């Protein structure tokens, strides 16, 4: 079974983003970028499936600027086989990403797409579900365990009340949650080997997808600042304070 | 104009976030119908009919809807949307799972986790773990919106709308429910609790998490939360996680115990009214947003606090 893993290049999760003074967005100039953490989890899962003989080939796809090649290379160093970069400098919304991924799925015919549950920049949590809809495939979001039995995929999901397990016919879309696995670090030899793995470079137009945004940004602002409060000396002082503001 | 609101419920009871989603739909404008999709969910439909501002409740009842799975909700909602201008969905695990699927079928770009509705096309939503607030205008003919419950005040429950019953989609679907393992607790539900007590990595084991966090939560009548580190280490179940990629809460009182205050955690609790932090590191970032900070060893402080309350 071929597995397709879409990965997004985002601001590194350790960096605190700064809103631009002109309120047009977040400042990404000279900011450390990295692979969306959920997408590392997706690649790890695909690589483990390959190690178990369940997956045969792992194709890593990113839609983004030329530098997203670096993000794909990280995935190749973790164990991906080849990459597809759909190059654009536009900010592409999940709906358009899903349409491009649909066209790639139709060309590549994978049995499984493993996406992240959420990109930590736009926090949309939408792309995997949208792709499943456009393909009329079943979906299992927020996965914390995945196993394959014949043509059936068993997926345990993190839901509001606890855990839920589904059985999916393949082909299917799965989105990954934090507890699915702990992604490996790419070793130096694997980073060197990844440099020789092929990456196809395409454009959204190659897939006939219009990436014009449906949501126009009116403004991007700083959140309301919380005033730092005070340190209290001991438990009695804390209780007195909480009583004085009616919190207890 | 008309809005369809998806109710969040457990079949037996209506979840509070439904009333908050109705409030968000009220800011959008137009007639509001609430869809209760479930199995033997008559009691939830009845409760939804009481929400102020609701024109009617549409109760779809059948086995295919028992677990709120995305494919069944898609089959139910997509045809219904012919008569609506917007679909408002609570940003719960059921809503976040199903809404984008429905949006894509309608060729609409969903607006996720909305915290304010300005008018029938303009919305506010946090991005980058709440480090920026984006105002967007949607050019789509229909709007699909998920609503962050913590940002809205619930609609009142003194209304009396009619309940209309419709059939559930027939199925079968390409995904099937196998089993679930739900955390059982008599404590208030985390997402809607008035008070929340959360524990972090410092608790160091599930036993100590239970021994130190739960009695304090019970004294305060609070829901229980946790940081990602505490959940990853198995000290607390996954549905306790508060944060950017967990639950977002805004209780009257939030007590963070042995939690450092990473931006991903703050994203889930910084809109709480009063924040208390207990941490032995006086430089911990959590103190920068806490109203009351107590520096010291939680294993001494928490039992004393629990005892004195
Ligand atoms: C993609 C992604 C998503 C994430 N999503 C979330 C999320 O939704 N929610 C979330 O919480 N995190 C999330 N995180 C993780 C986040 O970055 C932090 O790693 C996590 O919040 C740290 O948890 P903690 O504060 O419990 O642990 P630590 O950062 O290790 O802090 C432990 C604290 O306990 C204090 N302490 C230790 N011993 C004692 C004692 N005896 N008494 C008092 N204090 C003590 C220490 O001083 C320290 O401040 C996410 C990370 C990523 C990459
Ligand atoms: N530009 C992109 N290129 C490749 N994959 C993407 C892109 N945007 C989103 N994705 C995938 O969709 C997931 C969820 O993103 P989102 O719906 O934006 O929160 C990510 O974790 C990726 O797997």
């Amino acid at each position: 079974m071929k597995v397709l893993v879409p990965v997004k290049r985002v601001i590194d999760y350790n960096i605190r983003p700064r809103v631009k003074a002109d309120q047009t967005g977040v400042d990404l100039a000279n900011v450390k970028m990295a692979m969306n953490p959920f997408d590392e989890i997706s690649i790890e899962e695909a690589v483990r499936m390959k190690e178990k003989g369940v997956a045969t080939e792992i194709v890593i796809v990113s839609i983004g600027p030329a530098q997203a090649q670096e993000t794909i290379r990280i995935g190749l160093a973790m164990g991906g086989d080849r990459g597809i970069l759909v190059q654009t400098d536009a900010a592409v919304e999940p709906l358009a990403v899903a349409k491009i991924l649909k066209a790639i799925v139709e060309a590549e015919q994978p049995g499984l797409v493993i996406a992240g549950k959420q990109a930590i920049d736009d926090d949309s949590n939408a792309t995997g579900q949208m792709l499943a809809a456009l393909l009329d495939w079943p979906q299992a979001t927020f996965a914390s365990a995945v196993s394959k039995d014949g043509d059936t995929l068993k997926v345990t999901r993190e839901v509001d009340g606890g855990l839920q397990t589904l059985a999916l016919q393949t082909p299917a879309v799965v989105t990954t949650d934090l507890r699915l696995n702990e992604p490996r670090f790419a070793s130096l030899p694997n980073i060197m080997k990844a440099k020789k793995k092929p990456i196809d470079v395409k454009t959204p137009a190659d897939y006939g997808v219009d990436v014009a945004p449906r949501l126009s940004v009116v403004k991007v602002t700083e959140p309301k600042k919380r005033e730092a409060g005070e340190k209290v000396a001991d438990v009695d002082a804390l209780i007195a304070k909480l009583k004085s503001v009616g919190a207890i | 104009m008309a809005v369809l609101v998806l109710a969040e419920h457990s079949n037996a009871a209506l979840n509070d976030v439904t009333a908050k989603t109705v409030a968000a739909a009220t800011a959008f404008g137009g007639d509001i119908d609430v869809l209760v999709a479930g199995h033997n969910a008559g009691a939830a439909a009845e409760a939804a009919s009481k929400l102020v501002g609701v024109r009617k409740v549409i109760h779809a009842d059948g086995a295919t809807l028992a677990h709120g799975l995305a494919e069944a909700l898609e089959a139910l909602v997509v045809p219904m949307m012919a008569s609506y201008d917007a679909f408002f969905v609570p940003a719960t695990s059921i809503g976040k799972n199903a809404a984008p699927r429905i949006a894509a079928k309608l060729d609409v770009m969903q607006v996720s986790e909305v915290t304010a509705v300005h008018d029938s096309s303009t919305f506010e939503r946090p991005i980058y773990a709440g480090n920026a607030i984006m105002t967007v205008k949607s050019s789509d003919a229909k709007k699909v919106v998920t609503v962050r419950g913590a940002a809205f005040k619930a609609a009142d429950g003194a209304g009396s709308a009619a309940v209309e019953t419709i059939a559930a989609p027939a199925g079968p679907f390409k995904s099937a429910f196998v089993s679930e393992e739900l955390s059982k607790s008599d404590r208030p539900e985390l997402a809607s609790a008035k008070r929340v007590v959360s524990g972090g990595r410092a608790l160091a084991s599930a036993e100590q998490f239970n021994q130190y966090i739960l009695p304090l939560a019970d004294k305060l009548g609070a829901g229980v939360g946790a940081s990602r580190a505490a959940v990853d280490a198995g000290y607390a179940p996954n549905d306790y996680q508060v944060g950017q990629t967990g639950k977002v809460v805004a209780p009257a009182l939030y007590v963070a115990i042995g939690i450092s205050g990473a931006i991903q955690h703050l994203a889930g609790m910084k809109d709480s009214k009063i924040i208390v932090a207990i941490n032995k590191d006086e430089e911990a970032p959590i103190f920068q947003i806490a109203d009351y900070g107590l520096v010291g060893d939680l294993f001494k402080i928490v039992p004393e606090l629990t005892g004195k309350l």
Side-chain angles (χ1 to χ4, degrees):
Chain A
M1 180 179 66
K2 191 193 280 190
V3 180
L4 194 89
V5 182
V7 302
K8 189 177 189 188
R9 182 173 182 267
V10 298
I11 192 166
D12 185 279
Y13 81 94
N14 285 305
I15 310 277
R16 182 184 285 276
R18 301 253 168 256
V19 173
K20 287 195 216 165
D22 66 1
Q23 301 198 333
T24 56
V26 162
D27 197 356
L28 297 179
N30 304 318
V31 168
K32 183 166 176 227
M33 303 294 280
M35 186 188 297
N36 182 42
F38 288 101
D39 304 346
E40 293 181 346
I41 297 173
S42 305
I43 293 177
E44 177 65 35
E45 197 63 19
V47 173
R48 289 185 191 187
M49 289 179 112
K50 197 174 168 194
E51 287 166 350
K52 282 192 211 128
V54 176
T56 48
E57 190 188 19
I58 301 167
V59 181
I60 297 176
V61 182
S62 192
I63 296 139
Q67 298 92 314
Q69 279 224 23
E70 298 159 19
T71 315
I72 295 175
R73 291 272 173 225
I74 297 167
L76 297 177
M78 288 173 69
D81 294 296
R82 61 191 170 86
I84 301 173
L85 170 66
V86 183
Q87 194 174 325
T88 169
D89 288 326
V92 187
E93 292 172 344
L95 181 62
V97 170
K99 288 178 180 176
I100 293 169
L101 293 175
K102 175 184 189 237
I104 294 174
V105 164
E106 281 165 352
E108 294 280 345
Q109 301 283 320
L112 176 63
V113 176
I114 311 181
K117 88 162 174 182
Q118 173 174 346
I120 61 162
D121 52 0
D122 65 43
D123 284 331
S124 290
N125 194 331
T127 306
Q129 298 89 314
M130 287 183 156
L131 175 63
L134 297 177
L135 291 165
D136 275 316
W137 284 10
Q139 70 185 50
T141 50
F142 326 146
S144 66
V146 178
S147 62
K148 193 158 182 278
D149 181 12
D151 287 336
T152 307
L153 208 61
K154 221 171 109 189
V155 183
T156 300
R157 310 176 52 225
E158 294 198 357
V159 295
D160 286 346
L163 297 169
Q164 177 189 67
T165 301
L166 300 182
L168 274 63
Q169 292 169 22
T170 49
V173 175
V174 167
T175 77
T176 55
D177 216 322
L178 296 169
R179 259 70 63 179
L180 181 57
N181 59 49
E182 216 172 296
R184 70 194 64 193
F185 289 104
S187 67
L188 200 54
N190 285 341
I191 292 172
M192 299 312 289
K193 267 192 243 157
K195 292 196 169 137
K196 297 202 191 73
K197 293 184 180 174
I199 298 180
D200 255 1
V201 181
K202 303 278 195 181
T203 66
D206 293 338
Y207 300 104
V209 174
D210 174 9
V211 298
R214 306 289 186 82
L215 306 179
S216 60
V217 177
V218 178
K219 62 176 179 182
V220 175
T221 55
E222 295 267 354
K224 247 192 349 258
K225 281 261 176 314
R226 247 195 118 90
E227 297 290 310
E230 54 185 304
K231 297 243 170 70
V232 293
D234 53 27
V235 168
D236 293 326
L238 177 63
I239 291 173
K241 287 284 183 191
L242 290 175
K243 281 197 173 136
S244 74
V245 295
I248 55 171
Chain B
M1 230 174 32
V3 187
L4 184 66
V5 169
L6 182 69
E8 174 79 22
H9 63 85
S10 64
N11 291 311
L14 191 69
N15 186 305
D16 196 38
V17 72
T18 308
K20 295 175 174 177
T21 308
V22 167
T26 306
F28 181 85
D31 294 321
I32 299 170
D33 294 348
V34 175
L35 172 63
V36 177
H39 191 36
N40 301 323
E46 182 63 32
S49 73
K50 305 237 155 61
L51 295 175
V52 169
V54 173
R55 175 176 64 177
K56 71 174 173 195
V57 171
I58 302 166
H59 180 198
D61 205 312
T64 52
L65 294 172
H67 302 286
L69 299 190
E71 289 172 277
L73 287 171
E74 176 206 317
L76 177 69
V77 173
V78 171
M80 291 177 75
M81 284 305 292
S83 19
Y84 293 95
D85 303 287
F87 185 44
F88 271 51
V89 184
T92 56
S93 58
I94 288 177
K96 290 194 273 199
N97 185 41
R101 190 167 175 115
I102 292 162
K105 282 287 181 191
L106 299 170
D107 194 29
V108 167
M109 177 54 212
Q110 165 174 300
V111 191
S112 298
E113 301 258 351
V114 159
T115 50
V117 178
H118 291 313
D119 58 39
S120 59
S121 61
T122 318
F123 308 92
E124 262 178 44
R125 57 180 304 262
I127 52 175
Y128 291 91
N131 284 294
I133 308 295
M134 180 163 72
T135 306
V136 291
K137 209 172 170 65
S138 163
S139 61
D140 284 318
K142 293 182 193 293
K143 319 298 181 206
V144 175
V145 169
T146 65
V147 175
R148 181 171 285 188
F152 293 89
K153 200 169 158 282
D156 283 333
S160 58
V163 179
E164 173 189 310
T165 304
I166 63 169
F173 298 102
K174 294 174 189 162
S175 66
F177 174 83
V178 176
S179 62
E180 64 191 356
E181 225 179 285
L182 300 183
S183 323
K184 293 233 179 331
S185 157
D186 297 330
R187 295 188 182 83
E189 191 216 359
L190 177 57
S192 55
K194 303 266 178 290
R195 295 169 178 168
V196 172
V197 177
S198 286
R201 192 196 309 272
L203 273 304
S205 69
E207 293 69 35
Q208 293 192 123
F209 191 96
N210 293 340
Q211 183 188 341
Y212 288 86
I213 301 296
L214 303 188
L216 177 58
D218 290 340
K219 262 283 170 71
L220 289 167
V224 180
S227 70
R228 174 194 173 177
V231 174
D232 281 5
Y235 309 159
N238 63 277
D239 50 307
Y240 283 27
Q241 185 181 311
V242 170
Q244 177 188 18
T245 60
K247 286 181 180 148
V248 178
V249 302
L253 176 65
Y254 187 91
V255 187
I257 300 173
I259 292 177
S260 60
I263 57 173
Q264 292 85 7
H265 189 79
L266 303 189
M269 44 65 77
K270 70 182 159 67
D271 292 325
S272 305
K273 191 146 182 286
I274 300 283
I275 297 173
V276 171
I278 299 170
N279 196 304
K280 71 174 183 192
D281 172 11
E282 62 175 336
E283 303 291 329
I286 190 80
F287 287 125
Q288 287 164 24
I289 62 146
D291 298 279
Y292 306 115
L294 192 44
V295 179
D297 182 3
L298 78 89
F299 297 108
K300 293 204 183 75
I301 292 170
V302 173
E304 185 187 344
L305 179 60
T306 307
K308 285 180 173 167
L309 280 171

